[in-house]
Amino acid sequence: MSNTTRTLIASALTLGLALSSSAAFAKDPAAKSPPKTDAAMTHADRHESNEPVTDSWITTKVKADLLASSNVPGTEIKVETVNGVVSLSGTVATKAEHDKAVTTAKGIKGVTRVDAAALKVSAAAKR
């Protein structure tokens, strides 16, 4: 092989490596995206936090969501949280209210499990 051929092959390999490596680094997955503007933020973006979720925060959030729900008597339901496990107690009028309370609690960030054994449906609704 002549020197010219070797030089051409080496140049071609160098160019190929340079082009392929620049393509590989074009999108750095570790790079952070620019912060969202207020207009681009969703409701969840504005209220999400990187702070750790505490049991008291979970309890407050579950209670607030129950009170805000039109299908659940939030004032009739007691909420306690220990290590991410939410315990619901009290009495609701219907099975639908019971199920809605459980679903609401399960939807809160940080909730690992919902114990609704002490959340009773009133006897009048069972008849």
Side-chain angles (χ1 to χ4, degrees):
M1 218 185 285
S2 71
N3 269 347
T4 305
T5 306
R6 286 185 190 160
T7 304
L8 285 174
I9 292 173
S11 296
L13 288 172
T14 303
L15 180 60
L17 288 173
L19 291 175
S20 66
S21 66
S22 66
F25 292 109
K27 178 95 171 142
D28 182 5
K32 290 187 175 188
S33 58
K36 293 180 181 178
T37 63
D38 243 10
M41 286 186 171
T42 64
H43 176 76
D45 290 330
R46 287 187 197 100
H47 297 285
E48 285 297 315
S49 169
N50 291 331
E51 296 297 315
V53 176
T54 64
D55 287 345
S56 61
W57 182 89
I58 292 171
T59 298
T60 302
K61 181 68 173 142
V62 170
K63 192 68 176 174
D65 283 13
L66 290 174
L67 288 168
S69 176
S70 61
N71 305 1
V72 179
T75 57
E76 304 300 317
I77 300 172
K78 182 177 177 186
V79 180
E80 293 180 334
T81 308
V82 177
N83 296 325
V85 177
V86 174
S87 297
L88 303 175
S89 59
T91 304
V92 292
T94 66
K95 176 78 165 107
E97 288 178 352
H98 175 280
D99 294 346
K100 177 70 175 175
V102 171
T103 301
T104 299
K106 284 181 178 179
I108 303 301
K109 177 182 175 180
V111 173
T112 57
R113 188 170 61 88
V114 175
D115 176 7
L119 184 59
K120 306 297 181 191
V121 176
S122 72
K126 292 181 181 177
R127 294 180 198 172

PDB file of all heavy atoms in Angstrom, residues 61-99:
ATOM      1  N   LYS A  61     -53.225  17.143  52.365  1.00  0.00           N
ATOM      2  CA  LYS A  61     -53.617  17.110  50.954  1.00  0.00           C
ATOM      3  C   LYS A  61     -54.827  16.199  50.742  1.00  0.00           C
ATOM      4  O   LYS A  61     -55.755  16.565  50.010  1.00  0.00           O
ATOM      5  CB  LYS A  61     -52.430  16.645  50.107  1.00  0.00           C
ATOM      6  CG  LYS A  61     -52.696  16.603  48.629  1.00  0.00           C
ATOM      7  CD  LYS A  61     -52.879  17.970  48.024  1.00  0.00           C
ATOM      8  CE  LYS A  61     -52.969  17.847  46.505  1.00  0.00           C
ATOM      9  NZ  LYS A  61     -53.922  18.756  45.923  1.00  0.00           N
ATOM     10  N   VAL A  62     -54.841  15.023  51.378  1.00  0.00           N
ATOM     11  CA  VAL A  62     -55.992  14.122  51.248  1.00  0.00           C
ATOM     12  C   VAL A  62     -57.238  14.807  51.795  1.00  0.00           C
ATOM     13  O   VAL A  62     -58.290  14.823  51.154  1.00  0.00           O
ATOM     14  CB  VAL A  62     -55.748  12.776  51.966  1.00  0.00           C
ATOM     15  CG1 VAL A  62     -57.031  11.948  52.037  1.00  0.00           C
ATOM     16  CG2 VAL A  62     -54.645  11.985  51.271  1.00  0.00           C
ATOM     17  N   LYS A  63     -57.130  15.381  52.984  1.00  0.00           N
ATOM     18  CA  LYS A  63     -58.278  16.047  53.605  1.00  0.00           C
ATOM     19  C   LYS A  63     -58.782  17.197  52.723  1.00  0.00           C
ATOM     20  O   LYS A  63     -59.990  17.339  52.510  1.00  0.00           O
ATOM     21  CB  LYS A  63     -57.886  16.564  54.999  1.00  0.00           C
ATOM     22  CG  LYS A  63     -59.036  16.998  55.836  1.00  0.00           C
ATOM     23  CD  LYS A  63     -59.908  15.830  56.231  1.00  0.00           C
ATOM     24  CE  LYS A  63     -61.003  16.302  57.164  1.00  0.00           C
ATOM     25  NZ  LYS A  63     -61.961  15.259  57.463  1.00  0.00           N
ATOM     26  N   ALA A  64     -57.877  17.996  52.196  1.00  0.00           N
ATOM     27  CA  ALA A  64     -58.269  19.113  51.328  1.00  0.00           C
ATOM     28  C   ALA A  64     -58.974  18.616  50.074  1.00  0.00           C
ATOM     29  O   ALA A  64     -59.990  19.180  49.652  1.00  0.00           O
ATOM     30  CB  ALA A  64     -57.039  19.937  50.949  1.00  0.00           C
ATOM     31  N   ASP A  65     -58.450  17.558  49.472  1.00  0.00           N
ATOM     32  CA  ASP A  65     -59.072  17.023  48.257  1.00  0.00           C
ATOM     33  C   ASP A  65     -60.435  16.411  48.557  1.00  0.00           C
ATOM     34  O   ASP A  65     -61.350  16.506  47.743  1.00  0.00           O
ATOM     35  CB  ASP A  65     -58.156  16.003  47.583  1.00  0.00           C
ATOM     36  CG  ASP A  65     -57.021  16.664  46.805  1.00  0.00           C
ATOM     37  OD1 ASP A  65     -56.799  17.882  46.981  1.00  0.00           O
ATOM     38  OD2 ASP A  65     -56.348  15.965  46.018  1.00  0.00           O
ATOM     39  N   LEU A  66     -60.583  15.780  49.728  1.00  0.00           N
ATOM     40  CA  LEU A  66     -61.891  15.234  50.112  1.00  0.00           C
ATOM     41  C   LEU A  66     -62.900  16.362  50.328  1.00  0.00           C
ATOM     42  O   LEU A  66     -64.052  16.270  49.911  1.00  0.00           O
ATOM     43  CB  LEU A  66     -61.773  14.378  51.373  1.00  0.00           C
ATOM     44  CG  LEU A  66     -61.039  13.044  51.230  1.00  0.00           C
ATOM     45  CD1 LEU A  66     -60.877  12.374  52.590  1.00  0.00           C
ATOM     46  CD2 LEU A  66     -61.749  12.121  50.264  1.00  0.00           C
ATOM     47  N   LEU A  67     -62.464  17.423  50.973  1.00  0.00           N
ATOM     48  CA  LEU A  67     -63.348  18.565  51.216  1.00  0.00           C
ATOM     49  C   LEU A  67     -63.739  19.263  49.912  1.00  0.00           C
ATOM     50  O   LEU A  67     -64.853  19.764  49.792  1.00  0.00           O
ATOM     51  CB  LEU A  67     -62.690  19.566  52.166  1.00  0.00           C
ATOM     52  CG  LEU A  67     -62.584  19.112  53.618  1.00  0.00           C
ATOM     53  CD1 LEU A  67     -61.674  20.042  54.406  1.00  0.00           C
ATOM     54  CD2 LEU A  67     -63.951  19.021  54.266  1.00  0.00           C
ATOM     55  N   ALA A  68     -62.830  19.275  48.947  1.00  0.00           N
ATOM     56  CA  ALA A  68     -63.095  19.935  47.668  1.00  0.00           C
ATOM     57  C   ALA A  68     -63.973  19.090  46.750  1.00  0.00           C
ATOM     58  O   ALA A  68     -64.571  19.609  45.821  1.00  0.00           O
ATOM     59  CB  ALA A  68     -61.779  20.248  46.964  1.00  0.00           C
ATOM     60  N   SER A  69     -64.065  17.799  47.023  1.00  0.00           N
ATOM     61  CA  SER A  69     -64.851  16.913  46.174  1.00  0.00           C
ATOM     62  C   SER A  69     -66.333  17.055  46.474  1.00  0.00           C
ATOM     63  O   SER A  69     -66.754  17.080  47.625  1.00  0.00           O
ATOM     64  CB  SER A  69     -64.423  15.461  46.402  1.00  0.00           C
ATOM     65  OG  SER A  69     -65.242  14.590  45.660  1.00  0.00           O
ATOM     66  N   SER A  70     -67.128  17.134  45.422  1.00  0.00           N
ATOM     67  CA  SER A  70     -68.573  17.272  45.624  1.00  0.00           C
ATOM     68  C   SER A  70     -69.237  15.929  45.915  1.00  0.00           C
ATOM     69  O   SER A  70     -70.371  15.885  46.358  1.00  0.00           O
ATOM     70  CB  SER A  70     -69.203  17.909  44.381  1.00  0.00           C
ATOM     71  OG  SER A  70     -68.975  17.084  43.250  1.00  0.00           O
ATOM     72  N   ASN A  71     -68.536  14.841  45.693  1.00  0.00           N
ATOM     73  CA  ASN A  71     -69.122  13.505  45.860  1.00  0.00           C
ATOM     74  C   ASN A  71     -68.751  12.834  47.178  1.00  0.00           C
ATOM     75  O   ASN A  71     -69.085  11.671  47.373  1.00  0.00           O
ATOM     76  CB  ASN A  71     -68.674  12.595  44.722  1.00  0.00           C
ATOM     77  CG  ASN A  71     -68.986  13.161  43.363  1.00  0.00           C
ATOM     78  OD1 ASN A  71     -69.525  14.243  43.239  1.00  0.00           O
ATOM     79  ND2 ASN A  71     -68.655  12.430  42.340  1.00  0.00           N
ATOM     80  N   VAL A  72     -68.038  13.531  48.037  1.00  0.00           N
ATOM     81  CA  VAL A  72     -67.559  12.930  49.282  1.00  0.00           C
ATOM     82  C   VAL A  72     -67.786  13.898  50.433  1.00  0.00           C
ATOM     83  O   VAL A  72     -67.443  15.077  50.331  1.00  0.00           O
ATOM     84  CB  VAL A  72     -66.048  12.598  49.192  1.00  0.00           C
ATOM     85  CG1 VAL A  72     -65.531  11.996  50.474  1.00  0.00           C
ATOM     86  CG2 VAL A  72     -65.764  11.668  48.025  1.00  0.00           C
ATOM     87  N   PRO A  73     -68.363  13.403  51.550  1.00  0.00           N
ATOM     88  CA  PRO A  73     -68.523  14.275  52.719  1.00  0.00           C
ATOM     89  C   PRO A  73     -67.205  14.380  53.492  1.00  0.00           C
ATOM     90  O   PRO A  73     -66.974  13.660  54.461  1.00  0.00           O
ATOM     91  CB  PRO A  73     -69.609  13.566  53.530  1.00  0.00           C
ATOM     92  CG  PRO A  73     -69.406  12.119  53.209  1.00  0.00           C
ATOM     93  CD  PRO A  73     -68.941  12.084  51.784  1.00  0.00           C
ATOM     94  N   GLY A  74     -66.328  15.259  53.038  1.00  0.00           N
ATOM     95  CA  GLY A  74     -64.995  15.378  53.621  1.00  0.00           C
ATOM     96  C   GLY A  74     -64.990  15.662  55.108  1.00  0.00           C
ATOM     97  O   GLY A  74     -64.081  15.260  55.821  1.00  0.00           O
ATOM     98  N   THR A  75     -66.024  16.329  55.612  1.00  0.00           N
ATOM     99  CA  THR A  75     -66.070  16.637  57.039  1.00  0.00           C
ATOM    100  C   THR A  75     -66.374  15.396  57.877  1.00  0.00           C
ATOM    101  O   THR A  75     -66.153  15.404  59.086  1.00  0.00           O
ATOM    102  CB  THR A  75     -67.120  17.722  57.333  1.00  0.00           C
ATOM    103  OG1 THR A  75     -68.394  17.272  56.856  1.00  0.00           O
ATOM    104  CG2 THR A  75     -66.749  19.040  56.659  1.00  0.00           C
ATOM    105  N   GLU A  76     -66.881  14.348  57.254  1.00  0.00           N
ATOM    106  CA  GLU A  76     -67.241  13.125  57.977  1.00  0.00           C
ATOM    107  C   GLU A  76     -66.125  12.081  57.970  1.00  0.00           C
ATOM    108  O   GLU A  76     -66.270  11.019  58.573  1.00  0.00           O
ATOM    109  CB  GLU A  76     -68.499  12.503  57.359  1.00  0.00           C
ATOM    110  CG  GLU A  76     -69.696  13.421  57.305  1.00  0.00           C
ATOM    111  CD  GLU A  76     -70.126  13.891  58.693  1.00  0.00           C
ATOM    112  OE1 GLU A  76     -70.165  13.075  59.627  1.00  0.00           O
ATOM    113  OE2 GLU A  76     -70.424  15.097  58.824  1.00  0.00           O
ATOM    114  N   ILE A  77     -65.032  12.362  57.293  1.00  0.00           N
ATOM    115  CA  ILE A  77     -63.956  11.382  57.147  1.00  0.00           C
ATOM    116  C   ILE A  77     -62.717  11.866  57.881  1.00  0.00           C
ATOM    117  O   ILE A  77     -62.228  12.973  57.649  1.00  0.00           O
ATOM    118  CB  ILE A  77     -63.624  11.136  55.660  1.00  0.00           C
ATOM    119  CG1 ILE A  77     -64.860  10.615  54.928  1.00  0.00           C
ATOM    120  CG2 ILE A  77     -62.466  10.154  55.517  1.00  0.00           C
ATOM    121  CD1 ILE A  77     -64.703  10.522  53.434  1.00  0.00           C
ATOM    122  N   LYS A  78     -62.205  11.013  58.762  1.00  0.00           N
ATOM    123  CA  LYS A  78     -60.972  11.301  59.482  1.00  0.00           C
ATOM    124  C   LYS A  78     -59.819  10.703  58.669  1.00  0.00           C
ATOM    125  O   LYS A  78     -59.927   9.577  58.163  1.00  0.00           O
ATOM    126  CB  LYS A  78     -61.010  10.683  60.879  1.00  0.00           C
ATOM    127  CG  LYS A  78     -59.777  10.977  61.702  1.00  0.00           C
ATOM    128  CD  LYS A  78     -59.897  10.407  63.099  1.00  0.00           C
ATOM    129  CE  LYS A  78     -58.620  10.665  63.871  1.00  0.00           C
ATOM    130  NZ  LYS A  78     -58.634  10.011  65.178  1.00  0.00           N
ATOM    131  N   VAL A  79     -58.731  11.451  58.556  1.00  0.00           N
ATOM    132  CA  VAL A  79     -57.578  11.018  57.766  1.00  0.00           C
ATOM    133  C   VAL A  79     -56.341  11.015  58.651  1.00  0.00           C
ATOM    134  O   VAL A  79     -56.047  12.002  59.328  1.00  0.00           O
ATOM    135  CB  VAL A  79     -57.343  11.977  56.568  1.00  0.00           C
ATOM    136  CG1 VAL A  79     -56.140  11.526  55.749  1.00  0.00           C
ATOM    137  CG2 VAL A  79     -58.581  12.082  55.699  1.00  0.00           C
ATOM    138  N   GLU A  80     -55.627   9.909  58.651  1.00  0.00           N
ATOM    139  CA  GLU A  80     -54.351   9.799  59.362  1.00  0.00           C
ATOM    140  C   GLU A  80     -53.352   9.147  58.422  1.00  0.00           C
ATOM    141  O   GLU A  80     -53.719   8.251  57.650  1.00  0.00           O
ATOM    142  CB  GLU A  80     -54.494   8.947  60.622  1.00  0.00           C
ATOM    143  CG  GLU A  80     -55.360   9.572  61.689  1.00  0.00           C
ATOM    144  CD  GLU A  80     -55.484   8.689  62.931  1.00  0.00           C
ATOM    145  OE1 GLU A  80     -55.337   7.457  62.803  1.00  0.00           O
ATOM    146  OE2 GLU A  80     -55.725   9.237  64.008  1.00  0.00           O
ATOM    147  N   THR A  81     -52.089   9.563  58.505  1.00  0.00           N
ATOM    148  CA  THR A  81     -51.050   9.000  57.646  1.00  0.00           C
ATOM    149  C   THR A  81     -49.848   8.621  58.484  1.00  0.00           C
ATOM    150  O   THR A  81     -49.374   9.415  59.296  1.00  0.00           O
ATOM    151  CB  THR A  81     -50.613  10.026  56.574  1.00  0.00           C
ATOM    152  OG1 THR A  81     -51.769  10.508  55.889  1.00  0.00           O
ATOM    153  CG2 THR A  81     -49.663   9.394  55.579  1.00  0.00           C
ATOM    154  N   VAL A  82     -49.363   7.392  58.280  1.00  0.00           N
ATOM    155  CA  VAL A  82     -48.153   6.913  58.941  1.00  0.00           C
ATOM    156  C   VAL A  82     -47.301   6.208  57.883  1.00  0.00           C
ATOM    157  O   VAL A  82     -47.737   5.230  57.282  1.00  0.00           O
ATOM    158  CB  VAL A  82     -48.474   5.946  60.097  1.00  0.00           C
ATOM    159  CG1 VAL A  82     -47.199   5.410  60.728  1.00  0.00           C
ATOM    160  CG2 VAL A  82     -49.354   6.615  61.139  1.00  0.00           C
ATOM    161  N   ASN A  83     -46.107   6.741  57.662  1.00  0.00           N
ATOM    162  CA  ASN A  83     -45.171   6.180  56.679  1.00  0.00           C
ATOM    163  C   ASN A  83     -45.803   6.013  55.300  1.00  0.00           C
ATOM    164  O   ASN A  83     -45.600   4.997  54.629  1.00  0.00           O
ATOM    165  CB  ASN A  83     -44.602   4.847  57.165  1.00  0.00           C
ATOM    166  CG  ASN A  83     -43.785   4.999  58.418  1.00  0.00           C
ATOM    167  OD1 ASN A  83     -43.109   6.010  58.604  1.00  0.00           O
ATOM    168  ND2 ASN A  83     -43.848   4.025  59.290  1.00  0.00           N
ATOM    169  N   GLY A  84     -46.580   6.987  54.879  1.00  0.00           N
ATOM    170  CA  GLY A  84     -47.197   6.963  53.556  1.00  0.00           C
ATOM    171  C   GLY A  84     -48.477   6.157  53.456  1.00  0.00           C
ATOM    172  O   GLY A  84     -49.129   6.145  52.419  1.00  0.00           O
ATOM    173  N   VAL A  85     -48.864   5.461  54.538  1.00  0.00           N
ATOM    174  CA  VAL A  85     -50.106   4.685  54.544  1.00  0.00           C
ATOM    175  C   VAL A  85     -51.215   5.564  55.110  1.00  0.00           C
ATOM    176  O   VAL A  85     -51.148   6.001  56.258  1.00  0.00           O
ATOM    177  CB  VAL A  85     -49.971   3.388  55.374  1.00  0.00           C
ATOM    178  CG1 VAL A  85     -51.291   2.639  55.416  1.00  0.00           C
ATOM    179  CG2 VAL A  85     -48.870   2.507  54.809  1.00  0.00           C
ATOM    180  N   VAL A  86     -52.235   5.813  54.292  1.00  0.00           N
ATOM    181  CA  VAL A  86     -53.348   6.668  54.693  1.00  0.00           C
ATOM    182  C   VAL A  86     -54.458   5.796  55.260  1.00  0.00           C
ATOM    183  O   VAL A  86     -54.881   4.830  54.630  1.00  0.00           O
ATOM    184  CB  VAL A  86     -53.877   7.477  53.491  1.00  0.00           C
ATOM    185  CG1 VAL A  86     -55.132   8.252  53.857  1.00  0.00           C
ATOM    186  CG2 VAL A  86     -52.805   8.409  52.970  1.00  0.00           C
ATOM    187  N   SER A  87     -54.916   6.139  56.464  1.00  0.00           N
ATOM    188  CA  SER A  87     -56.045   5.448  57.091  1.00  0.00           C
ATOM    189  C   SER A  87     -57.242   6.380  57.086  1.00  0.00           C
ATOM    190  O   SER A  87     -57.158   7.521  57.560  1.00  0.00           O
ATOM    191  CB  SER A  87     -55.704   5.064  58.530  1.00  0.00           C
ATOM    192  OG  SER A  87     -54.632   4.153  58.539  1.00  0.00           O
ATOM    193  N   LEU A  88     -58.329   5.890  56.521  1.00  0.00           N
ATOM    194  CA  LEU A  88     -59.575   6.660  56.475  1.00  0.00           C
ATOM    195  C   LEU A  88     -60.555   6.045  57.462  1.00  0.00           C
ATOM    196  O   LEU A  88     -60.688   4.816  57.524  1.00  0.00           O
ATOM    197  CB  LEU A  88     -60.176   6.621  55.064  1.00  0.00           C
ATOM    198  CG  LEU A  88     -59.293   7.128  53.919  1.00  0.00           C
ATOM    199  CD1 LEU A  88     -59.987   6.916  52.581  1.00  0.00           C
ATOM    200  CD2 LEU A  88     -58.933   8.589  54.122  1.00  0.00           C
ATOM    201  N   SER A  89     -61.240   6.886  58.233  1.00  0.00           N
ATOM    202  CA  SER A  89     -62.244   6.385  59.161  1.00  0.00           C
ATOM    203  C   SER A  89     -63.413   7.355  59.207  1.00  0.00           C
ATOM    204  O   SER A  89     -63.306   8.496  58.780  1.00  0.00           O
ATOM    205  CB  SER A  89     -61.647   6.194  60.563  1.00  0.00           C
ATOM    206  OG  SER A  89     -61.140   7.415  61.065  1.00  0.00           O
ATOM    207  N   GLY A  90     -64.535   6.858  59.715  1.00  0.00           N
ATOM    208  CA  GLY A  90     -65.741   7.663  59.778  1.00  0.00           C
ATOM    209  C   GLY A  90     -66.870   6.927  59.088  1.00  0.00           C
ATOM    210  O   GLY A  90     -66.788   5.720  58.840  1.00  0.00           O
ATOM    211  N   THR A  91     -67.921   7.652  58.782  1.00  0.00           N
ATOM    212  CA  THR A  91     -69.094   7.054  58.146  1.00  0.00           C
ATOM    213  C   THR A  91     -69.508   7.901  56.952  1.00  0.00           C
ATOM    214  O   THR A  91     -69.597   9.125  57.047  1.00  0.00           O
ATOM    215  CB  THR A  91     -70.265   6.959  59.133  1.00  0.00           C
ATOM    216  OG1 THR A  91     -69.831   6.230  60.288  1.00  0.00           O
ATOM    217  CG2 THR A  91     -71.448   6.245  58.510  1.00  0.00           C
ATOM    218  N   VAL A  92     -69.755   7.221  55.833  1.00  0.00           N
ATOM    219  CA  VAL A  92     -70.252   7.888  54.628  1.00  0.00           C
ATOM    220  C   VAL A  92     -71.613   7.301  54.291  1.00  0.00           C
ATOM    221  O   VAL A  92     -71.982   6.230  54.778  1.00  0.00           O
ATOM    222  CB  VAL A  92     -69.277   7.725  53.442  1.00  0.00           C
ATOM    223  CG1 VAL A  92     -67.989   8.486  53.692  1.00  0.00           C
ATOM    224  CG2 VAL A  92     -68.979   6.273  53.156  1.00  0.00           C
ATOM    225  N   ALA A  93     -72.373   7.995  53.478  1.00  0.00           N
ATOM    226  CA  ALA A  93     -73.746   7.589  53.187  1.00  0.00           C
ATOM    227  C   ALA A  93     -73.841   6.432  52.201  1.00  0.00           C
ATOM    228  O   ALA A  93     -74.744   5.603  52.306  1.00  0.00           O
ATOM    229  CB  ALA A  93     -74.535   8.784  52.656  1.00  0.00           C
ATOM    230  N   THR A  94     -72.908   6.366  51.236  1.00  0.00           N
ATOM    231  CA  THR A  94     -73.036   5.349  50.192  1.00  0.00           C
ATOM    232  C   THR A  94     -71.703   4.669  49.906  1.00  0.00           C
ATOM    233  O   THR A  94     -70.635   5.195  50.246  1.00  0.00           O
ATOM    234  CB  THR A  94     -73.534   5.977  48.871  1.00  0.00           C
ATOM    235  OG1 THR A  94     -72.530   6.871  48.371  1.00  0.00           O
ATOM    236  CG2 THR A  94     -74.854   6.714  49.042  1.00  0.00           C
ATOM    237  N   LYS A  95     -71.796   3.542  49.234  1.00  0.00           N
ATOM    238  CA  LYS A  95     -70.597   2.820  48.800  1.00  0.00           C
ATOM    239  C   LYS A  95     -69.825   3.668  47.780  1.00  0.00           C
ATOM    240  O   LYS A  95     -68.593   3.661  47.764  1.00  0.00           O
ATOM    241  CB  LYS A  95     -71.007   1.462  48.191  1.00  0.00           C
ATOM    242  CG  LYS A  95     -69.860   0.669  47.610  1.00  0.00           C
ATOM    243  CD  LYS A  95     -69.065  -0.015  48.698  1.00  0.00           C
ATOM    244  CE  LYS A  95     -68.160  -1.088  48.112  1.00  0.00           C
ATOM    245  NZ  LYS A  95     -66.759  -0.738  48.107  1.00  0.00           N
ATOM    246  N   ALA A  96     -70.541   4.427  46.963  1.00  0.00           N
ATOM    247  CA  ALA A  96     -69.895   5.298  45.972  1.00  0.00           C
ATOM    248  C   ALA A  96     -69.035   6.357  46.667  1.00  0.00           C
ATOM    249  O   ALA A  96     -67.921   6.654  46.215  1.00  0.00           O
ATOM    250  CB  ALA A  96     -70.939   5.961  45.090  1.00  0.00           C
ATOM    251  N   GLU A  97     -69.531   6.923  47.779  1.00  0.00           N
ATOM    252  CA  GLU A  97     -68.751   7.908  48.536  1.00  0.00           C
ATOM    253  C   GLU A  97     -67.508   7.242  49.134  1.00  0.00           C
ATOM    254  O   GLU A  97     -66.428   7.824  49.137  1.00  0.00           O
ATOM    255  CB  GLU A  97     -69.602   8.535  49.642  1.00  0.00           C
ATOM    256  CG  GLU A  97     -70.659   9.483  49.117  1.00  0.00           C
ATOM    257  CD  GLU A  97     -71.523  10.062  50.227  1.00  0.00           C
ATOM    258  OE1 GLU A  97     -71.425   9.620  51.398  1.00  0.00           O
ATOM    259  OE2 GLU A  97     -72.324  10.973  49.930  1.00  0.00           O
ATOM    260  N   HIS A  98     -67.671   6.036  49.646  1.00  0.00           N
ATOM    261  CA  HIS A  98     -66.552   5.269  50.202  1.00  0.00           C
ATOM    262  C   HIS A  98     -65.479   5.078  49.134  1.00  0.00           C
ATOM    263  O   HIS A  98     -64.299   5.360  49.357  1.00  0.00           O
ATOM    264  CB  HIS A  98     -67.071   3.910  50.700  1.00  0.00           C
ATOM    265  CG  HIS A  98     -66.010   2.984  51.193  1.00  0.00           C
ATOM    266  ND1 HIS A  98     -65.229   2.230  50.334  1.00  0.00           N
ATOM    267  CD2 HIS A  98     -65.613   2.670  52.446  1.00  0.00           C
ATOM    268  CE1 HIS A  98     -64.385   1.503  51.046  1.00  0.00           C
ATOM    269  NE2 HIS A  98     -64.601   1.744  52.334  1.00  0.00           N
ATOM    270  N   ASP A  99     -65.904   4.596  47.966  1.00  0.00           N
ATOM    271  CA  ASP A  99     -64.962   4.314  46.886  1.00  0.00           C
ATOM    272  C   ASP A  99     -64.285   5.581  46.381  1.00  0.00           C
ATOM    273  O   ASP A  99     -63.086   5.582  46.080  1.00  0.00           O
ATOM    274  CB  ASP A  99     -65.669   3.604  45.733  1.00  0.00           C
ATOM    275  CG  ASP A  99     -66.153   2.211  46.124  1.00  0.00           C
ATOM    276  OD1 ASP A  99     -65.717   1.679  47.174  1.00  0.00           O
ATOM    277  OD2 ASP A  99     -66.983   1.651  45.380  1.00  0.00           O
TER     278      ASP A  99
END
